[in-house]
Amino acid sequence: MRISMLAAAAVATIATTAQADEWAAYGRDLQGTRFSPLTQVTPANVANLKPAWTFHTGDVSDGKTKGGGPRSGFETTPLMLDGRLYLTTPFNRVIALDPATGRQLWAFDPALDRAKPYGDGLINRGLAAWRDPKAGKGAACALTLYEATLDARLVAVDAATGAPCPGFGTGGEVSLRDVARYTPGQYHMTSPPIAFDGVVVVGSAIDDNARVNMPSGVVRGFDARTGKLLWSWEPLQAPKDANPGNWNTGAGNAWSVLSADPARHTVLVPTGSASPDYWGGLRPGDNRWANSVVALDVRTGKLRWGFQLVHHDLWDYDTAAAPMLTRFRLNGRSVQAVIAGNKTGMVFALDPVTGKPALPVEERPVPQSTLTGEKSSPTQPFPAATPALVPQSQGAEAVGGLTDADRKFCADTINGLSGHAIFTPPSERGILAIPGNVGGINWSGFAWDGVNGRLIVSVSNIPAKVRMIPAAQYVKGDKGDLRAETTMQLGSPYAMSREFLRAPSGVPCIKPPFGELVALDLGAGKIVWRVPLGSLEELAPGVGHFAKGSIVLGGPIVTAGGLIFQGGTMDKTLRAFSAVDGKELWSGALPASAHATPMTYAVGGRQYVVVAAGGSAKVDEEVQGDAVVAFALP
């Protein structure tokens, strides 16, 4: 496929591991840019996109069938390598398809134990691939696919045949269960590993809020050929002056998507919060390196640098977005940076060599905790050169709602809380956590517009009410509000109760839009455009005229053809936007919502855009599915 001069220039600014027509890693390249140089589909012809083929995996669980396991969601982003499409299912099956027709070529089933109570539901976001430079043409596992399973195994299969790689571990797999405080179900894997320099790196997903001492959030590197453990890195370590009896925690885990700086041989790791999320009395200090981006030497696991986005997290503000390595214009020159974002809705740019801010960051005083045994951080980091992408406070005077009764309820609720701005520490009265725990920049993350030099970000804007319940009060029957998720947080003096703050009509207590697509000029420090993204009408019928925007779980991609493709919303739609001004140019109907990041590739001279459409494991949508849908021009 012919690539324009403009696209070629844009691609030249981004080091990539993929051929022009391929999608070789979750973020297309190891750097996580999600930028494709393909130009066949453009703003001028995107309205002509039609379904080209649909493939059904058959792997769906409603969470209600005995022995069927938790509810499933379909979050995979396929890879396209060597003329084949590779994807994973919620049951951890790996499937190869013909990319032009959607015909199944082979399938590998690792026989997942589906009975465990996986806290994220049955989901998997995809694969890593590694090409063995020493393998001869036609050799087994010359191109290997790696998957980390929900029941904590790392499996390696031959991309050509789907057969397990015999030299990798035992029968093509290694156990990931040798972890401090390992608990089946609570410790699992949802995001893909990453593989380069002959090493496969894997993190983990760990349930929130169950107890103080959750499993270790260790990150590990394995030999890509043999599966031998090469190194381990622990994100959480007690401060030197900490009393061992007063240090009890876990997690800080890398549950989201990993990326890399291949030229510097570093893997870029986003980490989540330490356990439990909403009380940190037994984990004093900043809890480094939880809630951070860290750069590890992929060959040794040695920490090159780290930057913490939230100190001593008390709000479940994981670094959920995959870090991205790219270049942007700053004061007339090209600057390379690692871009990081989290659930606060803030964006940081870091020097890839040192991890120090490439754009200014300020430590600002924040409110302090009044809970028994808690000592919150006196300050938190705020970017000084880029704006927050979502609201970070909500007063009672500016609430949303469908009716006067809605607005009165919301205002009265907010007035009764102990705080309603970002980093207000949890309290027994309750706080408005804004953004909420799924708000801001979640694993949906961001993509790089290599033509216009902008960061394209999908965000959610849904605050949550969080209330701490003393343990004795919880035991006596205070289980939180009716619609709240309430957990004891065993080992702590408090149970946690949280819920989206909604009016009686069901509409969030904040003014819409509830989800947006945003274009950010990093060098200029300004938002170029922002548009509502999706709708809640299908999830909450009757409020669509008011409820602009949707919670977003699934991110954007950008093409050199000038388009942004985005699913991730609570309606059954894939959309295309102009990269220049954010105008919606096309929408494609899907059999279920697409809580996944799309991808694009070219084969036979034709560009395809593909997305997994199967609904969410965490949102009780009426329609679930198992479809991989490909769109192309006629």
Side-chain angles (χ1 to χ4, degrees):
M1 175 168 292
R2 182 174 169 271
I3 300 176
S4 70
M5 294 285 290
L6 178 62
V11 175
T13 68
I14 302 171
T16 179
T17 56
Q19 298 298 317
D21 59 348
E22 292 187 332
W23 195 277
Y26 179 91
R28 186 180 181 273
D29 44 46
L30 293 173
Q31 296 88 340
T33 65
R34 303 189 198 170
F35 176 76
S36 168
L38 297 179
T39 60
Q40 186 180 87
V41 184
T42 69
N45 62 24
V46 68
N48 297 322
L49 275 186
K50 303 293 182 185
W53 55 258
T54 299
F55 174 79
H56 293 279
T57 70
D59 290 2
V60 182
S61 170
D62 62 7
K64 301 173 184 177
T65 303
K66 186 176 181 180
R71 182 182 173 95
S72 63
F74 200 12
E75 297 184 357
T76 190
T77 294
L79 305 184
M80 162 62 173
L81 286 159
D82 292 354
R84 289 185 173 186
L85 205 63
Y86 303 102
L87 61 101
T88 58
T89 78
F91 299 172
N92 284 142
R93 289 198 304 133
V94 182
I95 298 175
L97 303 179
D98 182 314
T101 65
R103 178 177 62 89
Q104 180 174 308
L105 303 175
W106 57 254
F108 167 75
D109 188 352
L112 171 69
D113 181 356
R114 290 162 51 193
K116 296 293 188 292
Y118 305 111
D120 291 308
L122 296 174
I123 60 172
N124 185 276
R125 297 189 183 103
L127 299 158
W130 178 71
R131 199 179 302 277
D132 189 342
K134 297 183 179 180
K137 185 177 181 180
C141 298
L143 177 64
T144 303
L145 304 175
Y146 302 92
E147 180 190 36
T149 67
L150 279 163
D151 54 4
R153 290 173 288 154
L154 179 62
V155 299
V157 299
D158 185 349
T161 64
C165 292
F168 188 88
T170 301
E173 67 177 55
V174 296
S175 173
L176 299 174
R177 300 166 188 168
D178 185 18
V179 171
R181 303 174 300 281
Y182 169 75
T183 305
Q186 287 186 351
Y187 183 91
H188 50 285
M189 281 74 188
T190 53
S191 292
I194 193 167
F196 64 106
D197 282 359
V199 182
V200 186
V201 182
V202 64
S204 61
I206 297 174
D207 289 356
D208 291 337
N209 304 311
R211 63 181 194 269
V212 167
N213 57 339
M214 291 298 283
S216 162
V218 62
V219 178
R220 287 171 285 183
F222 296 86
D223 185 286
R225 291 190 189 90
T226 68
K228 178 184 177 182
L229 178 64
L230 300 177
W231 53 261
S232 299
W233 176 79
E234 292 282 353
L236 285 167
Q237 297 180 9
K240 293 180 180 179
D241 58 349
N243 184 328
N246 294 331
W247 176 264
N248 201 0
T249 185
N253 49 302
W255 62 264
S256 190
V257 178
L258 308 174
S259 51
D261 182 346
R264 298 181 178 89
H265 308 284
T266 56
V267 56
L268 303 172
V269 181
T271 60
S273 55
S275 63
D277 292 72
Y278 292 92
W279 184 81
L282 294 179
R283 48 177 174 89
D286 283 348
N287 305 152
R288 297 191 180 187
W289 293 102
N291 304 93
S292 300
V293 171
V294 298
L296 305 179
D297 188 311
V298 72
R299 300 161 296 187
T300 65
K302 182 179 179 180
L303 178 69
R304 292 276 193 88
W305 55 259
F307 182 87
Q308 190 171 52
L309 280 63
V310 178
H311 309 317
H312 193 82
D313 183 21
L314 299 172
W315 307 271
D316 193 8
Y317 282 160
D318 299 334
T319 306
M324 175 199 295
L325 178 69
T326 191
R327 286 186 174 274
F328 66 94
R329 301 293 296 178
L330 178 65
N331 298 325
R333 61 190 182 94
S334 175
V335 175
Q336 190 177 42
V338 173
I339 310 302
N342 65 354
K343 294 181 184 180
T344 65
M346 294 189 276
V347 175
F348 300 80
L350 309 173
D351 185 304
V353 177
T354 65
K356 295 180 179 179
L359 293 174
V361 175
E362 297 175 351
E363 288 286 338
R364 298 175 186 170
V366 292
Q368 294 300 284
S369 177
T370 59
L371 292 181
T372 299
E374 182 61 87
K375 184 173 177 57
S376 51
S377 175
T379 64
Q380 292 290 351
F382 288 80
T386 55
L389 303 187
V390 296
Q392 295 188 320
S393 65
Q394 171 65 64
E397 74 285 350
V399 294
L402 290 177
T403 65
D404 288 342
D406 270 3
R407 288 182 282 274
K408 183 179 186 304
F409 171 88
C410 293
D412 289 347
T413 300
I414 289 175
N415 281 330
L417 301 175
S418 62
H420 44 80
I422 193 170
F423 296 131
T424 299
S427 70
E428 293 185 31
R429 279 177 57 190
I431 64 164
L432 185 70
I434 180 168
N437 57 296
V438 299
I441 308 171
N442 210 311
W443 63 266
S444 310
F446 30 70
W448 184 248
D449 179 352
V451 174
N452 298 298
R454 298 168 183 168
L455 191 71
I456 307 300
V457 193
S458 52
V459 297
S460 299
N461 178 23
I462 306 288
K465 177 185 174 183
V466 177
R467 182 165 71 92
M468 306 303 288
I469 305 171
Q473 192 172 316
Y474 177 83
V475 170
K476 289 180 180 179
D478 185 347
K479 303 301 189 211
D481 296 330
L482 179 63
R483 296 181 293 190
E485 170 195 0
T486 305
T487 308
M488 178 49 233
Q489 299 190 132
L490 293 172
S492 85
Y494 292 98
M496 177 282 304
S497 179
R498 68 182 179 190
E499 61 173 326
F500 295 136
L501 185 56
R502 294 181 288 168
S505 68
V507 173
C509 282
I510 195 167
K511 292 180 179 179
F514 307 129
E516 293 180 287
L517 192 64
V518 183
L520 177 65
D521 185 324
L522 290 163
K526 67 178 183 180
I527 293 171
V528 181
W529 53 257
R530 63 191 312 154
V531 295
L533 181 57
S535 169
L536 293 177
E537 176 66 16
E538 294 180 25
L539 193 63
V543 301
H545 66 284
F546 168 82
K548 294 179 181 178
S550 166
I551 296 172
V552 184
L553 294 172
I557 66 170
V558 185
T559 71
L563 294 169
I564 299 164
F565 290 97
Q566 168 78 55
T569 57
M570 296 296 164
D571 50 7
K572 300 187 286 292
T573 308
L574 178 67
R575 293 175 169 87
F577 299 85
S578 165
V580 173
D581 58 15
K583 181 180 179 181
E584 185 175 324
L585 301 175
W586 169 85
S587 62
L590 299 170
S593 58
H595 295 293
T597 299
M599 51 86 72
T600 187
Y601 58 89
V603 64
R606 196 178 188 196
Q607 183 180 350
Y608 295 80
V609 180
V610 172
V611 71
S616 171
K618 290 193 171 183
V619 180
D620 193 14
E621 297 168 286
E622 183 177 350
V623 178
Q624 284 182 280
D626 64 344
V628 182
V629 184
F631 295 90
L633 296 175

